[in-house]
């Protein structure tokens, strides 16, 4: 049976994600200052959580996301998306300014994981 609480994660794992988030934040700040570009921070910092708005609704338990939003939420909360974006930017296939967006998106995911938030089950609860 699913629970509505965030499952406990290992202290070492959460600390590793927090360290990754801190390193990414330093990289974002450095890159944004050097390029005087900040819109990516807003878009890629908040964007992944727009799935939470889509997943709201009545008759949901506390902490539950509506099942219709789970695929979108899980897609934008995996490391593969921002890593691919960063690789494309580094290879010059897309504008290099999107590297700030990729770093911000990675930061968002790492911060969520350091706080104990992860991917969702098909019924909308946090995965153990």
């Amino acid at each position: 049976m699913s629970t509505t609480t965030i499952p406990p994660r290992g202290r070492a794992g959460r600390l590793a994600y927090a360290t990754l988030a801190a390193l990414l934040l330093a990289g974002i700040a450095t890159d944004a200052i050097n390029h005087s570009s900040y819109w990516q921070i807003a878009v890629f910092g908040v964007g992944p959580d727009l799935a939470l708005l889509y997943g709201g609704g009545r008759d949901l338990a506390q902490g539950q996301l509506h099942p219709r939003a789970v695929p979108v939420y899980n897609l934008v909360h995996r490391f593969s998306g921002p890593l691919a974006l960063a690789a494309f930017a580094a290879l010059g296939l897309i504008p290099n300014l999107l590297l700030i967006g990729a770093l911000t998106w990675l930061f968002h995911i790492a911060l969520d994981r350091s706080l104990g938030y992860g991917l969702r089950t098909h019924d909308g609860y946090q995965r153990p």
Side-chain angles (χ1 to χ4, degrees):
M1 180 170 183
S2 297
T3 62
T4 60
T5 59
I6 299 171
R9 299 208 183 268
R11 185 181 192 122
R14 289 179 65 172
L15 182 59
Y17 281 123
T19 302
L20 175 61
L23 292 171
L24 287 166
L25 186 59
I28 293 163
T30 302
D31 207 20
I33 290 167
N34 288 337
H35 293 101
S36 298
S37 184
Y38 305 101
W39 66 267
Q40 300 93 333
I41 296 170
V43 170
F44 288 92
V46 176
D49 280 344
L50 293 177
L52 292 173
L53 295 177
Y54 179 55
R58 289 189 253 173
D59 301 326
L60 296 173
Q62 183 178 354
Q64 183 184 15
L65 185 66
H66 196 286
R68 71 173 173 248
V70 169
V72 175
Y73 180 90
N74 284 346
L75 180 67
V76 297
H77 283 87
R78 293 185 187 276
F79 285 104
S80 56
L83 288 174
L85 186 65
F88 291 151
L91 293 171
L93 300 174
I94 58 176
N96 193 38
L97 286 178
L98 288 175
L99 182 58
I100 299 171
L103 292 175
T104 303
W105 191 1
L106 285 166
F107 167 76
H108 177 105
I109 296 168
L111 182 63
D112 276 0
R113 301 278 169 85
S114 74
L115 296 172
Y117 297 105
L119 300 176
R120 302 290 183 130
T121 61
H122 70 281
D123 58 352
Y125 293 100
Q126 290 289 324
R127 284 189 186 171

